[in-house]
Amino acid sequence: LEDQGLYGSARPLFERALGIDEKVLGPEHPHTATDLNNLAILLYDLGECTQALGLVRRSVAALTGHFRRSAWALTKSERLRNVQVNQRSLHTLLALAPVEGPGHREILEALLIWKGQVGREMLHRRWRWEDLTHEQRSILKQLRGVQARLQKLAYAPAMENREEHIATIKLLREERNALELNLNRSLGRGDEDLTPSLAALQAALPEDSALLEFFVHPLYAPVVWKEGEVVEQGYRTKPHLSAWVVRSGMEEVVRHDLGPAEQIEGATQAFLNDLVARRGGAALPEEGEDPAVTLHELLWDTVRTSLKGVDTVFVSPDSFLGGLPLEVLQEEDGCFLIEQHAFVYIQDVEALIAAGESRDDFTRPGLLAVGAVNYDHMEEDEPSGASQPSLLAQAELRGSWAEYWDPLSWTRYEVESLDHRFKRFVGEGVPHRMLDGGAVTEARLKEEMPRYGTLHLATHGFFNPAGLPSMWEDAQMKGANPVRLGEDQQLVGLLPGLLSGLVCAGANEPSPAGGEDGFLTAEEVTWLDLRGCDLVVLSACETGLGRPQSGEGMMSLRRAFHLAGARTVVSSLWQVKDESTTELMLEFYRNLWQGHMGKLEALRTAQLKMLERNRRAYRGNARPSTWGAFVLSGDWR
């Protein structure tokens, strides 16, 4: 009846459906929430805006409460699917909000609760691992083992028997999910209130700072009536990009509609392609629009009016914006945004609110510096300083999926320098280890990383490797049924954390039977216990990239380290050069250890120094591709 435009006849049936589900299933059941949302849209089309807004508020509250009560009994993939399916009510709330005028505080409050809730719940449960029972630790060990076997099959270069290979992957995935479910349910519900509030956020924002919250969502165009007749039916628009600005010391919340997301996404991709393809070279004069100018106009021109006088911007990106460092955008006078603001990237404002909480009891001292990896051979007992056998070819970039991984010559100088400077400026008595050569195995990394407070990992990184294309969206919406994409591709109804990772020793050689494959993926990192880790520096390519997941950001290596407990992560958003990365990293640690700067200040100061040096050396060309890829997420202090 609604589709036919008979809204008056449809209304009592929507109301009856809501009444049935409320009585039988309860006021906070997801089906009841769906009924509330459907009726709200109908009433909005009928012009009853105030009543419609009240219903959709109830719908959002019901879904939020249901997730909070049920998440403990779900796997990670089930939680992601749950949030994805239920975002429709949040979209409706965002669409109806303008009818109340400047009601942006309430809308942003709902968005803050919804956005990042899967990662928030996982991280809070991670802090309960300290009290795991013997049985729970046994389940966790089994889970890690099954995950390693699953990953090894997913990365297998060839399949002797395709049907058997696919069947084995499916069984391992089911076993893995069952173990995760058992572990989650054995931990119980938990009593923590994980709901962030706008008031708490405003209180936590440092002086002269602001939160810049992005969200991609559709709007709703209501029915157009003329003389009691329907002229045009209501419909959901294509996704728009909204931005909210919350400033320290100010009660007001500002919301900006930046327009169709598709247009901004295209401009973002064109800008990044141009920036990265030049690898530091000057822009070539071409006919048509400059991608940098176009993106600045679409994305930054509007929000910057709300950021005047702000020193530090906490950025919560969404969707495609997760791959864009705002630092590299330029103003009309040629200055980069990094010269005006410091940027911190967060996916969940709870991390910002909780930044002041002490974790000194958990943070471990010391440095683990990893580099000069021997990709041709793994040997646990290979002595430090052992040379790599294939030195004729040296990789210029620290990543991009390859059938053969070339040595990274600058990483040896990088980690040796860090080891020396750590002993000099932090202290000889503080634990430190340099891991290199064939000793940088997956197993060794997993063993060593939880022991140190600072992890510096200089190696090849990758995202979305060839031969392992993601069908995550398909698996998410249709179930984890096997999907055939072609004879040269594998079954990929897998977790998105398998699509990004770091390359370890022996990755160029066939993995031994029962051994690991030489790739430390985001999925494996998620199940490590890194609560004692204060700083992780991923000195590799594309370590901040991953599959976008609405409301949860990039399913990336960076996110995995945060979920494992790491407080601060420095990661990259494109393929970075070996030499310039070493230069940036050494300057960063000089500022951190010798200059006693905070983490964000140390990174930004290093980037600004490279920017100015490039301008002098390359006739005004700041070469942002050499310094702009690395961003800081988490605790900025």
Side-chain angles (χ1 to χ4, degrees):
L1 290 173
E2 182 187 38
D3 290 343
Q4 296 177 71
L6 303 176
Y7 299 99
S9 299
R11 179 173 183 169
L13 299 181
F14 275 114
E15 292 172 338
R16 184 181 172 195
L18 172 61
I20 292 170
D21 280 343
E22 273 189 313
K23 182 177 181 179
V24 177
L25 302 174
E28 292 190 340
H29 192 278
H31 290 181
T32 305
T34 298
D35 295 339
L36 286 165
N37 184 64
N38 291 340
L39 182 56
I41 293 173
L42 180 77
L43 294 180
Y44 187 46
D45 284 333
L46 289 171
E48 300 183 25
C49 301
T50 302
Q51 190 176 352
L53 190 56
L55 290 175
V56 77
R57 283 171 176 159
R58 287 172 56 193
S59 178
V60 171
L63 292 171
T64 301
H66 182 266
F67 180 84
R68 189 161 55 242
R69 291 192 308 275
S70 63
W72 68 278
L74 302 174
T75 64
K76 180 172 64 175
S77 58
E78 287 171 337
R79 293 173 195 159
L80 288 170
R81 183 181 181 186
N82 183 292
V83 170
Q84 187 75 16
V85 170
N86 292 337
Q87 67 178 326
R88 184 179 176 88
S89 292
L90 180 65
H91 292 164
T92 303
L93 180 63
L94 288 166
L96 304 194
V99 302
E100 278 202 348
H104 303 318
R105 289 187 63 87
E106 178 195 4
I107 307 305
L108 180 57
E109 186 100 44
L111 179 60
L112 296 182
I113 293 172
W114 182 83
K115 197 173 179 183
Q117 60 184 314
V118 173
R120 185 187 316 139
E121 201 275 341
M122 290 176 64
L123 185 57
H124 275 261
R125 292 176 71 79
R126 180 61 46 89
W127 285 95
R128 299 171 64 188
W129 279 16
E130 183 183 21
D131 301 319
L132 289 182
T133 64
H134 175 75
E135 183 179 354
Q136 290 167 336
R137 293 184 187 279
S138 176
I139 296 174
L140 180 59
K141 184 178 180 180
Q142 292 178 63
L143 176 58
R144 288 169 173 163
V146 171
Q147 181 58 53
R149 289 162 56 201
L150 177 60
Q151 174 180 312
K152 188 173 180 180
L153 281 178
Y155 279 84
M159 293 175 281
E160 294 182 5
N161 185 318
R162 181 180 178 81
E163 296 298 329
E164 182 179 339
H165 189 94
I166 290 175
T168 305
I169 284 182
K170 186 178 180 182
L171 287 174
L172 283 174
R173 187 168 190 252
E174 290 173 354
E175 183 179 355
R176 176 215 171 280
N177 286 346
L179 288 167
E180 181 186 356
L181 205 56
N182 287 341
L183 180 61
N184 287 342
R185 293 182 176 182
S186 70
L187 288 170
R189 294 176 182 268
D191 299 322
E192 305 94 341
D193 181 7
L194 309 181
T195 305
S197 70
L198 182 54
L201 167 65
Q202 289 178 309
L205 281 172
E207 187 177 356
D208 297 326
S209 72
L211 170 72
L212 180 56
E213 182 80 40
F214 290 106
F215 190 52
V216 175
H217 61 95
L219 299 176
Y220 186 75
V223 166
V224 178
W225 297 85
K226 186 175 182 180
E227 298 178 356
E229 298 292 330
V230 176
V231 177
E232 184 178 347
Q233 286 195 318
Y235 64 95
R236 289 186 182 269
T237 68
K238 289 185 176 181
H240 274 233
L241 177 63
S242 289
W244 288 260
V245 177
V246 183
R247 294 189 58 162
S248 60
M250 292 188 181
E251 185 77 11
E252 181 186 8
V253 171
V254 180
R255 176 182 175 183
H256 300 284
D257 181 359
L258 301 179
E262 185 178 14
Q263 185 180 10
I264 302 173
E265 181 176 9
T268 300
Q269 194 59 57
F271 169 73
L272 291 174
N273 287 344
D274 179 65
L275 178 72
V276 178
R278 287 189 273 114
R279 295 290 174 200
L284 298 176
E286 296 180 359
E287 295 183 3
E289 296 181 346
D290 183 343
V293 173
T294 302
L295 181 60
H296 189 282
E297 292 175 350
L298 292 173
L299 181 64
W300 189 254
D301 271 357
T302 302
V303 299
R304 71 172 175 177
T305 60
S306 304
L307 294 170
K308 290 181 180 179
V310 169
D311 295 328
T312 303
V313 183
F314 295 92
V315 184
S316 177
D318 190 42
S319 186
F320 60 89
L321 287 180
L324 174 68
L326 294 177
E327 292 91 325
V328 299
L329 293 181
Q330 278 183 283
E331 298 283 19
E332 293 179 358
D333 60 2
C335 287
F336 291 86
L337 293 190
I338 192 175
E339 298 177 90
Q340 301 175 357
H341 308 282
F343 292 92
V344 182
Y345 293 84
I346 59 174
Q347 190 52 48
D348 177 19
V349 297
E350 178 65 20
L352 175 57
I353 295 172
E357 297 178 3
S358 175
R359 277 177 45 181
D360 293 340
D361 293 342
F362 292 93
T363 302
R364 299 183 184 278
L367 166 71
L368 175 66
V370 173
V373 179
N374 186 343
Y375 304 109
D376 290 337
H377 181 63
M378 67 172 74
E379 179 56 61
E380 288 282 359
D381 298 324
E382 183 173 311
S384 177
S387 61
Q388 301 187 55
S390 52
L391 296 177
L392 294 178
Q394 299 288 347
E396 180 185 13
L397 302 176
R398 295 192 180 183
S400 182
W401 183 259
E403 293 184 3
Y404 184 85
W405 303 94
D406 287 320
L408 293 166
S409 58
W410 282 91
T411 60
R412 176 170 297 285
Y413 174 64
E414 185 174 316
V415 295
E416 287 179 348
S417 298
L418 290 183
D419 188 64
H420 171 74
R421 293 180 184 184
F422 184 83
K423 288 184 287 186
R424 180 181 176 187
F425 295 112
V426 179
E428 283 278 359
V430 183
H432 61 91
R433 179 182 293 277
M434 190 181 81
L435 206 60
D436 61 1
V440 189
T441 64
E442 269 190 89
R444 187 73 179 275
L445 276 180
K446 292 174 185 176
E447 178 186 356
E448 294 285 356
M449 288 196 299
R451 299 173 177 172
Y452 297 89
T454 299
L455 307 179
H456 183 85
L457 308 175
T459 181
H460 284 294
F462 62 84
F463 163 62
N464 199 21
L468 191 63
S470 173
M471 287 293 291
W472 171 242
E473 292 85 356
D474 184 89
Q476 181 187 56
M477 302 310 296
K478 300 178 183 177
N481 296 322
V483 180
R484 294 172 183 246
L485 300 178
E487 290 304 317
D488 61 334
Q489 297 176 318
Q490 301 177 27
L491 169 71
V492 287
L494 301 172
L495 297 173
L498 291 178
L499 299 179
S500 57
L502 298 173
V503 185
C504 304
N508 287 335
E509 63 179 359
S511 56
E516 296 182 307
D517 55 13
F519 304 113
L520 180 65
T521 66
E523 180 64 21
E524 290 180 295
V525 170
T526 302
W527 294 103
L528 297 177
D529 186 358
L530 301 181
R531 292 173 298 155
C533 189
D534 183 57
L535 172 64
V536 176
V537 178
L538 302 173
S539 185
C541 284
E542 303 178 330
T543 49
L545 292 184
R547 284 284 180 183
Q549 174 75 30
S550 181
E552 292 295 320
M554 295 284 191
M555 300 287 105
S556 64
L557 195 61
R558 173 176 74 194
R559 183 176 186 271
F561 272 97
H562 279 305
L563 292 181
R567 195 165 189 172
T568 306
V569 180
V570 175
S571 59
S572 62
L573 295 176
W574 57 70
Q575 296 175 24
V576 294
K577 285 188 174 182
D578 189 24
E579 182 177 356
S580 59
T581 298
T582 292
E583 179 184 354
L584 178 66
M585 291 302 162
L586 294 184
E587 190 63 32
F588 166 66
Y589 283 103
R590 186 199 313 276
N591 298 334
L592 190 67
W593 294 336
Q594 188 176 353
H596 304 290
M597 298 181 186
K599 300 165 200 167
L600 176 62
E601 183 186 6
L603 178 61
R604 183 182 180 224
T605 302
Q607 291 173 312
L608 289 172
K609 183 174 181 178
M610 286 188 69
L611 183 158
E612 288 297 338
R613 188 212 62 183
N614 288 344
R615 277 180 175 155
R616 292 192 300 269
Y618 299 100
R619 299 181 180 180
N621 180 13
R623 296 163 64 93
S625 68
T626 63
W627 51 263
F630 286 94
V631 297
L632 182 143
S633 59
D635 187 358
W636 69 99
R637 297 165 305 170

